[in-house]
Amino acid sequence: MENPKSSSESSSYNEEGEDYSSIEQSNEPNQIFEEIRGTLYVKFDRKILGSKILEKVVWLSTDGMLSYGNDENTKDGEINMLQVKQIKVGKVDHDENNARYYFTIIHRNKSNSITMAATTEEDRNIWVNALSVSMPYEVGSENILHRVVLGVYTGIRSEPKDIPLIPLDYKRSVVHHIRRPGRAKISLEEYYPSVFADIRRMYGITQEELLEEWNIPEENLVSEGSAGKSGSLFIMSNTRKFMIKSIEKSEKDRLILMIRSYHDHLQNNPESLLMKIIGFYRYRSIPNKSFIMFNNLLLTDASIDEKYDLKGSTKEREASNSEKAKDSPVFLDNDFTAFNRKLFLGDLKDRFLQQVYADAELLAQFDIMDYSILVGIHTNEEYDHPEGREAISFNSDLARNVCHISTPEDAPNEIYFIGIIDNLTHYNTSKKIAHGFKRIKWTKESLSTVPARLYCDRFKDFVTEIVQDEEESTD
């Protein structure tokens, strides 16, 4: 895999866009941390007696020290978050009485790294996101969210001209250096700026629109938390049209490997259901912290009355009780089956499935698995599809750059908003090991972690099964 060749650009300006001259930055850290405290399990590794998991009170103070002990007056140990380079989501252990959701805080000095666990996935994600936001790894007084958004905003301001792409554009990156009085320098690497600018133009996304969407005051920036088990950071734009999400190193490497094929696929498949990645960045001051920008698949004026995240597997594919209690829960495969749900597409069935197959084949080509088809369903008649019943559109007054399909006349009056998400998970060595252990207890048909070719074929079969044409819908 060939990493992109980088060039460097420097910007000096304040938040209103007025130019400043460059200044030298202080080496004294002035990071402000947000306090958080709670109860977690902490793993202690002992050379003679082996490892032991103990319940401890854990707290993060404003000076960046993460401490743990029986209470806040009896500290057993601490870790300096200023020296942490990565937080990695780990395994899940289940027994008869409880579950433990692990994460590891990886220190620059590996001997200082530590593993902790929460009793719920939601609590783990809260801790992972809070600690990730606090990780500065460079001097400065604002959190990583603001630095990332400011870096992205700078990249958008310097968007390449609309000229034909050349082979070098699929290998080039640009580093944006941002200097501001009294604040830390920001260095954000933008991968393949000309390629992603071309993708944005494919979908009518203008520079002016993105600048407006990402002109967000620092005090208004919050992480949306993780939408799944990854512990990823999510940042929403002003009107929620676009999102920025952190990705793992393996996902970054996969996107680097497939960038030309991904661009060509979108160009040759204007009805592609793949998530539209429109920007790709690496925050250079935090190793392995990369981000992608993409459009919000479920942004529409119509109400989304049901949401499903579907993989075609059954193991642990039922929404949790806490998820079901939410105002707008995301249901999974087993829920879809239990509700006797189908998608009624009429004569659009073949056209829709042909595109699903093409998208899945691209992902299989690059050994990608664990993606989902995200389905939002509008079930009442408050809004009509702009083109009437049994119609498919990708741009309308109802939704933009999102596949939305209305049902035929002889089916329930519904509109489906559909896209394929999480398209960068590589079936690598760790996935193969996980698959080997899980196969002892589960069949390959039920697991999410299976080889990319098997995943692709199973995914296509599942989507084919849940789609009904006009003749079937009358039964």
Side-chain angles (χ1 to χ4, degrees):
M1 180 185 64
E2 185 177 359
N3 284 312
K5 308 266 191 308
S6 65
S7 57
S8 184
E9 295 182 358
S10 183
S11 300
S12 303
Y13 58 88
N14 67 4
E15 310 303 325
E16 285 73 40
E18 299 172 2
D19 286 339
Y20 282 126
S21 58
S22 300
I23 64 168
E24 292 298 320
Q25 300 298 318
S26 167
N27 289 323
E28 293 299 319
N30 60 343
Q31 174 74 26
I32 298 174
F33 290 83
E34 192 168 327
E35 289 186 349
I36 181 173
R37 56 176 49 79
T39 301
L40 293 171
Y41 288 96
V42 180
K43 183 179 179 182
F44 295 89
D45 291 315
R46 299 175 297 181
K47 292 182 179 179
I48 299 176
L49 300 177
S51 62
K52 190 172 184 179
I53 305 291
L54 297 176
E55 190 175 28
K56 297 290 181 179
V57 175
V58 181
W59 65 98
L60 175 68
S61 59
T62 56
D63 63 359
M65 299 305 296
L66 182 70
S67 307
Y68 50 92
N70 293 330
D71 56 53
E72 293 189 27
N73 296 318
T74 56
K75 188 186 299 183
D76 290 338
E78 62 184 9
I79 184 168
N80 185 353
M81 293 302 297
L82 288 165
Q83 300 298 317
V84 169
K85 68 176 187 178
Q86 186 181 11
I87 299 177
K88 189 173 183 180
V89 173
K91 63 180 181 177
V92 181
D93 279 348
H94 293 275
D95 60 33
E96 294 180 359
N97 300 316
N98 56 36
R100 289 176 185 163
Y101 295 80
Y102 288 88
F103 61 94
T104 299
I105 301 170
I106 301 175
H107 196 273
R108 292 177 68 183
N109 180 350
K110 287 187 177 181
S111 64
N112 293 333
S113 300
I114 191 165
T115 296
M116 298 183 176
T119 55
T120 68
E121 182 182 334
E122 183 177 4
D123 284 347
R124 178 180 66 179
N125 288 338
I126 289 172
W127 276 97
V128 167
N129 288 327
L131 296 174
S132 296
V133 169
S134 297
M135 283 167 43
Y137 219 71
E138 72 174 14
V139 297
S141 61
E142 81 266 51
N143 65 29
I144 186 176
L145 303 181
H146 186 242
R147 297 177 194 180
V148 170
V149 169
L150 190 53
V152 169
Y153 188 89
T154 304
I156 297 167
R157 279 174 47 142
S158 58
E159 180 175 289
K161 295 179 180 179
D162 184 6
I163 57 177
L165 297 179
I166 60 175
L168 182 62
D169 290 324
Y170 297 98
K171 299 179 180 180
R172 187 175 68 90
S173 69
V174 173
V175 180
H176 302 286
H177 299 290
I178 307 165
R179 296 176 174 84
R180 303 157 298 157
R183 309 298 287 272
K185 183 182 80 171
I186 296 172
S187 296
L188 194 85
E189 184 171 7
E190 182 179 10
Y191 290 112
Y192 319 119
S194 296
V195 176
F196 285 104
D198 192 60
I199 291 175
R200 294 195 291 269
R201 284 188 283 268
M202 282 186 208
Y203 297 102
I205 300 169
T206 66
Q207 180 187 43
E208 293 73 22
E209 178 183 17
L210 286 175
L211 289 174
E212 185 175 341
E213 285 291 326
W214 292 112
N215 185 17
I216 307 175
E218 181 178 351
E219 61 271 16
N220 293 348
L221 271 172
V222 294
S223 171
E224 296 286 332
S226 174
K229 300 179 180 179
S230 64
S232 298
L233 297 177
F234 288 83
I235 313 171
M236 285 283 191
S237 68
N238 272 319
T239 67
R240 306 181 76 84
K241 286 182 184 178
F242 307 103
M243 303 173 68
I244 294 173
K245 175 190 174 185
S246 64
I247 60 174
E248 298 297 319
K249 181 180 183 301
S250 61
E251 296 175 292
K252 179 199 79 171
D253 293 343
R254 200 67 357 199
L255 186 52
I256 288 173
L257 185 65
M258 67 184 292
I259 181 60
R260 182 154 197 163
S261 296
Y262 176 74
H263 174 264
D264 290 348
H265 182 82
L266 295 183
Q267 201 166 43
N268 297 327
N269 293 267
E271 295 188 352
S272 174
L273 302 173
L274 292 178
M275 180 175 73
K276 307 306 185 295
I277 300 172
I278 57 174
F280 180 20
Y281 312 91
R282 181 169 72 93
Y283 185 47
R284 294 191 113 195
S285 301
I286 300 182
N288 302 327
K289 185 65 75 173
S290 301
F291 300 84
I292 55 173
M293 177 167 54
F294 54 96
N295 64 310
N296 185 352
L297 290 175
L298 296 184
L299 184 68
T300 173
D301 290 335
S303 61
I304 300 296
D305 304 302
E306 299 176 32
K307 285 189 285 189
Y308 297 93
D309 180 303
L310 306 172
K311 294 180 183 289
S313 60
T314 57
K315 182 182 181 293
E316 297 179 354
R317 295 299 295 165
E318 179 179 348
S320 65
N321 290 333
S322 60
E323 180 67 29
K324 291 176 181 177
K326 294 180 180 179
D327 292 336
S328 182
V330 179
F331 293 104
L332 306 179
D333 300 65
N334 294 341
D335 305 304
F336 193 88
T337 301
F339 298 158
N340 292 317
R341 253 300 181 185
K342 294 288 183 181
L343 303 181
F344 302 103
L345 301 190
D347 290 339
L348 298 172
K349 175 181 176 179
D350 290 344
R351 175 179 169 186
F352 173 78
L353 289 178
Q354 183 178 5
Q355 188 59 62
V356 170
Y357 296 169
D359 291 338
E361 287 296 333
L362 173 72
L363 301 180
Q365 178 186 342
F366 288 93
D367 233 10
I368 292 172
M369 40 74 72
D370 211 29
Y371 42 90
S372 307
I373 188 162
L374 181 66
V375 181
I377 304 179
H378 173 69
T379 60
N380 61 55
E381 299 183 12
E382 181 185 357
Y383 285 87
D384 293 323
H385 194 286
E387 297 180 25
R389 298 296 294 270
E390 197 170 352
I392 184 169
S393 181
F394 291 81
N395 264 307
S396 74
D397 293 337
L398 195 59
R400 185 176 168 210
N401 294 324
V402 176
C403 173
H404 43 294
I405 305 173
S406 58
T407 54
E409 292 288 349
D410 56 354
N413 188 7
E414 298 175 335
I415 304 176
Y416 309 127
F417 299 85
I418 305 176
I420 296 175
I421 61 172
D422 298 332
N423 335 340
L424 295 174
T425 303
H426 180 215
Y427 186 71
N428 54 19
T429 302
S430 63
K431 295 291 184 183
K432 291 174 184 177
I433 294 172
H435 174 62
F437 280 115
K438 290 176 180 178
R439 280 187 63 189
I440 298 172
K441 188 175 180 181
W442 300 88
T443 66
K444 63 182 180 181
E445 288 76 16
S446 65
L447 295 174
S448 292
T449 307
V450 296
R453 169 44 56 191
L454 175 58
Y455 194 97
C456 173
D457 292 341
R458 188 183 64 187
F459 182 79
K460 292 190 296 183
D461 289 344
F462 173 78
V463 176
T464 303
E465 184 180 335
I466 66 173
V467 173
Q468 290 191 347
D469 61 25
E470 188 170 7
E471 182 179 349
E472 292 170 322
S473 68
T474 62
D475 292 343

